[in-house]
Amino acid sequence: MQIIRIPIQSMVLITASAMWDGINTRELVRQPALFIVDGRIKKICTGFEGSQIKQYPKFRHINFPHLTLLPGLVDAHVHLALDGTPAGKEKWHNPSGLAEMVDQNLHQSISSGILAVRDAGDRLGTGLLVKQKKIEVRPDIPQIVTTGPAIRRLNGYGQFLGEGIGEALEASEAITELKMAGADQVKLLASGIVSMRCFGKVGGQQFTREEIHLLAQMAKANGLPLMVHANSEPTISHVISANVKSIEHGYFVNVSSLKQMAETGTAWVPTVYPVAAMASTPEVDPNIVEKTYQRHLKMISIAQKIGVKLAIGTDAGSPGVYHGKSYIEELKLWAKAGIPTPAILKAATTTGAMVLGLDKSIGTIQVGKRPSLIGVQGNPLETIENLADIKAVLLPQDV
C-alpha cells in the first residue's frame, strides 16, 4: 500500500481511473481530476485526459491509472487503549507498552483505509493523551475524535471505561473537565452489556430518563455532542428523546425506536461484528451469539429502509475485534443483512464523518474539503469486498 502525504502549502493534481465521491452514491465518476490548493480541493474535473496535464505545470501530478478513489473510511467506534486480545489491559501498567499498542492500532487502521476514528474512551483517557502528545505515535495516523473517559454509574458496567459517578449532578464537573482537556464528544454508558448465554438479557439501566436528559443538557452546554452506549428498551427510547448525537450498539432496539431515530435524526452505530466475533469464545453459547447478531442485522436492514442515519463502527479493541483488520468484517455483515453497497459505503464515509463532527472537511469528495482519500482496484459499488485491499492512502499534512 502506498501512503502519500499532501502538504497544506502545495498545489497537487490527482488523477485516477474512476471515483466514488459519496454524493452521487450509485455511480462512479470516470477519469476524475482533483486540484488541491493549500490543503483543500479547489476544483474537480471529469473525463480528464492525460494530454491536459501540461496545462498545469505548477501542480505536482499524482496519477492512479488503475484505481478508484473514495473518501477515506471512518470507524465511528473504537477503543485505542485496547487491541482485541485478553492481554490488552495489562499494557496499561506499562507506558511504553501502551504507547506501542496505541501506535500499532492507529497504523493498522491506516493500512485498512480508515482515515478517521472516534475513540469511545477508556479509564486512562488514551485518545486525549494522544491528542495532547503525552503518548507519542508515528506520523501518518487517522484523524482522532475522542471522548476521554466515559461517564458511567459508580458500581455499574464499564469500570475500564471511566471512574464512575454516584449522582448525575456529579457529571457536570466531569464534563467540564473533559471539555478543558480537549475532548471532542462525551461518552455516556446508559445501560449494561448483552448476555451471550441468555437471549435478550441486558445489563440494567444505569441512569433514569430524567438523568439522561440532564446529562445531555450538560454536554450541550459545554458544546460537546453526546454518544451513548444503550441496549434494550426502554433505555434506547429514553436516550433518543434526549436528542443525543448517536446511539452505540443498540442491541434489542425495536422498530418503534428506529422510527423515532429516523424522525429525530439520531445516528445509530450498531457495531454488529463484536457479537459475531464471540461465536468461538468458550464461555458463550454460540446459538445465542448467532441469534443475537442475526436479529441485529435484521434491525439494521429495517433502519436503513426507514431512513435512520447509520454509521460504521467496529468497537475495535473489544475481544476478537482488531483495529483496521475487523472493519471489512463489519462491512461484510452489513452486506449479509442485505444493505445495498452504496448505503454501506455512505455509512462508512459520509455518515461516519457526520457522526464524528468532521463532515465539513471529510466524508465526501467535493470542492472545499480536505483530500482525505483512499484508492482501490475495481468498482467498490459492485462488491464491498473491494475495500479489503487498499492500494493507496492520501493524507492531508498540516505541518
Side-chain angles (χ1 to χ4, degrees), residues 16-60:
S17 173
M19 177 177 74
W20 183 83
D21 60 14
I23 302 168
N24 184 1
T25 59
R26 296 187 177 276
E27 293 183 7
L28 296 184
V29 174
R30 299 295 175 180
Q31 294 180 284
L34 308 180
F35 294 83
I36 315 298
V37 178
D38 295 335
R40 297 277 174 172
I41 300 173
K42 186 73 171 179
K43 182 172 72 170
I44 300 175
C45 298
T46 59
F48 194 85
E49 300 290 343
S51 59
Q52 296 175 263
I53 294 172
K54 61 184 179 182
Q55 301 175 24
Y56 306 95
K58 295 183 180 181
F59 283 78
R60 170 193 171 197

Side-chain angles (χ1 to χ4, degrees), residues 77-85 105 314-323:
H77 193 123
V78 307
H79 296 278
L80 292 179
L82 298 170
D83 62 4
T85 70
N105 290 342
T314 61
D315 207 4
S318 61
V321 185
Y322 305 103
H323 292 262

